[in-house]
Amino acid sequence: MPRSPSIRKIDADEVNVGMGMVDEVVAVEGELLVDKFDDNEELGNIRLALPEDFERLQIKNDDSLRMEDIEDAEEFLGTSISTGFMNEKKKQKKRRKRKQKHLEQKENEEPEYNTFVPGRDEITDDMELDYDPAMYDSFFDIKTPWPSLTLDVIPDSFGAERTELPVSMLLASGSQSQCMDDNFLYVLRCDNVNKTRIGWEENDVEDEEDISLTLATFNHKGFVNRVRVNPVMNCIIATQAEYSSKKGSVSIFNVDKQLELLYAEKKPKDADDCLIHTEKARPGYGLCWSPFGDYLLSGHVDGSVFKHELINDSFECTAEFKSHTDSVEDITHHPSSSFFATVGVDRSIHIWNAESEEPIAVREEAHDTDINVADWNAIQPNIIATGADDGTIKVWNLEDMAEPMHEVNWHNSPITSVQWAPFNETMLIASSEDHSISIWDFSMDETEEDGVPNRLMFIHAGQKEIKEVRWHPQCPGFFISTSGTGYHIAKPMTLMLSSEEIEEMQEGMESIEEQDE
């Protein structure tokens, strides 16, 4: 058990401190603080290591320093506790002044912050990460009772391109509870997604409302591995479910009544009658709607891909695509045609036409490890991105897949999602099991500065076990991520700025720092 701080005054005759007259010696927790004088002038404080035989030093009187005279003894260790030739009242006054000066200095000191860069710096047990609010136009951390592996943005009627804050948004997600029968599909309305407050800003609005959440829940059998919203009929939501390592299902829900209540800012009641289609299958993660919303593609651990087609107001499984030799991990669709791509554990990329059950192109050994995720560029439809278990990200030109156009080796853990920005054809966002999200701009050159790639535009952290990140297509610059601890809604400040605006902002910040100095 650690000892309490012990502060005792020892007779100066018991300690040899060299030349000069010793006025007082104080023992504090295994060290000696010695105030040394010469011709009545203080030469300063001398700190000595306590000898092993300290216990034999004789305490010749009971005139110990009192704790109320020197509070926070450990913080004062090594500072002068001089008494000189003053009387006791003057001694106490001097101690109080020193204490007050110390506390004022401590209060005025700004804590030392270092920029943490995932991929370059290592997280240690004693490290505490905190976000810099000055780097975000908006940021919110939403905690959830259960982890979530997946989320998607629900297209809404709040506005096509919303750049002014606050904004509202609709999201779909699913749970991974401890009990398989206690899982839910979530439809979430987020209101008052506002500007991040910075304490020193003079234009803070005190009566500004915080973010508000309205939730609709739907009972879901099995863990929710993946959720995808129909891009045309936003009330139709599909999920990939897992019951065990060998059993799962693909389910489709119609949540139109609950969406109507959410639009009206009313709390929906829990519903059990929204399931309109379910198909038993092996578990899986790959799930993707066609851009026209007329069919759904699902990928499974046995390497199969199924097509669930809308026929006469109901969905039917109409085709199976079988070419992968191992689990299909992700599916991504061409933005305006019937082509789609699949990736998986067999490290290959397969390009398909939804009208044919044979692949039209296969790129074997596209990565050195399992390929977890892929995304088709909606603005440049000949480009796709893939992310693998070894943390690599590759960008491919489908016209020539012999070698990737770009390769990123930044993350040190598996990539869990990638998505091209809907507002910038060269910008890609990626999440990784190294607890970080990175944003890349492939229009930039490949140079590095201080070990940081020039293409790396932003790093976001603060979540554990990040599973998926999605851009909001109607709120440029916003992304939403899900993890083992909840959701982050964020809009980095610099993403929507021009290079000239960024340079002007940096010059302004440097000017402020110079004024502070």
Side-chain angles (χ1 to χ4, degrees), residues 94-136:
K94 187 174 182 181
R95 293 184 188 122
R96 284 194 295 269
K97 283 184 177 180
R98 282 184 176 156
K99 178 186 173 183
Q100 184 63 32
K101 183 178 180 181
H102 172 80
L103 293 176
E104 287 176 357
Q105 289 175 344
K106 191 175 180 67
E107 206 172 87
N108 293 331
E109 284 179 0
E110 292 186 3
E112 183 179 350
Y113 293 107
N114 294 313
T115 301
F116 176 82
V117 181
R120 186 190 69 185
D121 302 329
E122 184 179 351
I123 297 179
T124 59
D125 293 337
D126 60 346
M127 184 180 292
E128 182 177 347
L129 296 180
D130 195 9
Y131 82 104
D132 183 353
M135 294 294 101
Y136 294 83

Side-chain angles (χ1 to χ4, degrees), residues 441-455:
D441 188 346
F442 292 102
S443 66
M444 307 294 287
D445 59 60
E446 297 185 43
T447 59
E448 293 186 359
E449 185 174 344
D450 296 329
V452 179
N454 195 34
R455 289 173 169 173

Side-chain angles (χ1 to χ4, degrees), residues 59 95 239 302 310 365 417 463 513:
I59 306 297
R95 293 184 188 122
T239 64
D302 60 358
L310 179 61
E365 298 298 325
S417 69
Q463 288 178 295
E513 291 175 358

Side-chain angles (χ1 to χ4, degrees), residues 164-312:
E164 297 294 327
L165 297 176
V167 297
S168 297
M169 56 183 68
L170 297 172
L171 307 173
S173 185
S175 66
Q176 288 267 325
S177 74
Q178 292 179 340
C179 178
M180 189 175 298
D181 295 328
D182 192 23
N183 282 286
F184 298 93
L185 167 67
Y186 299 126
V187 175
L188 181 67
R189 172 169 176 159
C190 307
D191 290 302
N192 298 316
V193 181
N194 221 318
K195 188 179 187 303
T196 298
R197 298 179 183 179
I198 302 175
W200 46 262
E201 284 189 335
E202 296 180 358
N203 58 348
D204 274 343
V205 181
E206 293 184 0
D207 59 352
E208 193 175 78
E209 296 183 37
D210 288 326
I211 187 173
S212 64
L213 309 172
T214 310
L215 184 68
T217 61
F218 308 87
N219 290 327
H220 189 278
K221 185 178 180 180
F223 303 127
V224 184
N225 285 351
R226 191 63 56 90
V227 59
R228 287 294 179 261
V229 179
N230 191 299
V232 178
M233 300 171 284
N234 70 341
C235 62
I236 304 298
I237 301 175
T239 64
Q240 271 265 33
E242 181 178 342
Y243 311 146
S244 67
S245 61
K246 295 183 178 180
K247 294 182 180 180
S249 68
V250 176
S251 300
I252 301 176
F253 297 80
N254 186 340
V255 299
D256 57 343
K257 295 179 181 178
Q258 287 71 24
L259 276 182
E260 287 179 8
L261 292 173
L262 289 174
Y263 274 120
E265 300 186 47
K266 296 180 181 179
K267 168 67 176 174
K269 295 182 180 180
D270 294 345
D272 296 320
D273 58 347
C274 297
L275 184 64
I276 60 174
H277 172 78
T278 187
E279 193 82 30
K280 291 184 179 179
R282 298 290 295 275
Y285 292 91
L287 198 64
C288 180
W289 287 99
S290 80
F292 312 108
D294 55 340
Y295 59 83
L296 174 75
L297 299 166
S298 62
H300 304 271
V301 295
D302 60 358
S304 61
V305 176
F306 292 101
K307 181 181 180 181
H308 311 264
E309 196 167 0
L310 179 61
I311 301 175
N312 297 326

Side-chain angles (χ1 to χ4, degrees), residues 392-406:
T392 60
I393 300 168
K394 294 185 179 183
V395 178
W396 304 87
N397 186 335
L398 297 179
E399 296 176 357
D400 182 7
M401 297 184 67
E403 296 293 334
M405 295 174 60
H406 309 290

Side-chain angles (χ1 to χ4, degrees), residues 35-156:
D35 283 312
K36 181 179 175 184
F37 287 75
D38 191 3
D39 297 331
N40 296 340
E41 290 185 6
E42 186 176 354
L43 298 179
N45 175 259
I46 303 173
R47 195 156 106 182
L48 304 176
L50 193 65
E52 293 180 0
D53 57 350
F54 170 68
E55 294 299 329
R56 71 175 178 81
L57 292 176
Q58 184 179 0
I59 306 297
K60 294 199 173 180
N61 56 60
D62 262 346
D63 190 16
S64 298
L65 297 178
R66 293 173 296 176
M67 288 300 293
E68 55 265 31
D69 291 338
I70 307 178
E71 296 177 6
D72 302 324
E74 291 176 330
E75 291 182 7
F76 279 83
L77 189 63
T79 63
S80 177
I81 314 178
S82 171
T83 55
F85 302 101
M86 299 180 289
N87 60 38
E88 188 63 27
K89 288 185 178 180
K90 287 185 177 180
K91 292 177 185 179
Q92 292 180 8
K93 185 177 180 181
K94 187 174 182 181
R95 293 184 188 122
R96 284 194 295 269
K97 283 184 177 180
R98 282 184 176 156
K99 178 186 173 183
Q100 184 63 32
K101 183 178 180 181
H102 172 80
L103 293 176
E104 287 176 357
Q105 289 175 344
K106 191 175 180 67
E107 206 172 87
N108 293 331
E109 284 179 0
E110 292 186 3
E112 183 179 350
Y113 293 107
N114 294 313
T115 301
F116 176 82
V117 181
R120 186 190 69 185
D121 302 329
E122 184 179 351
I123 297 179
T124 59
D125 293 337
D126 60 346
M127 184 180 292
E128 182 177 347
L129 296 180
D130 195 9
Y131 82 104
D132 183 353
M135 294 294 101
Y136 294 83
D137 284 337
S138 185
F139 172 78
F140 290 94
D141 183 3
I142 302 171
K143 302 298 183 185
T144 56
W146 299 114
S148 174
L149 295 182
T150 181
L151 66 82
D152 201 9
V153 176
I154 300 176
D156 58 56

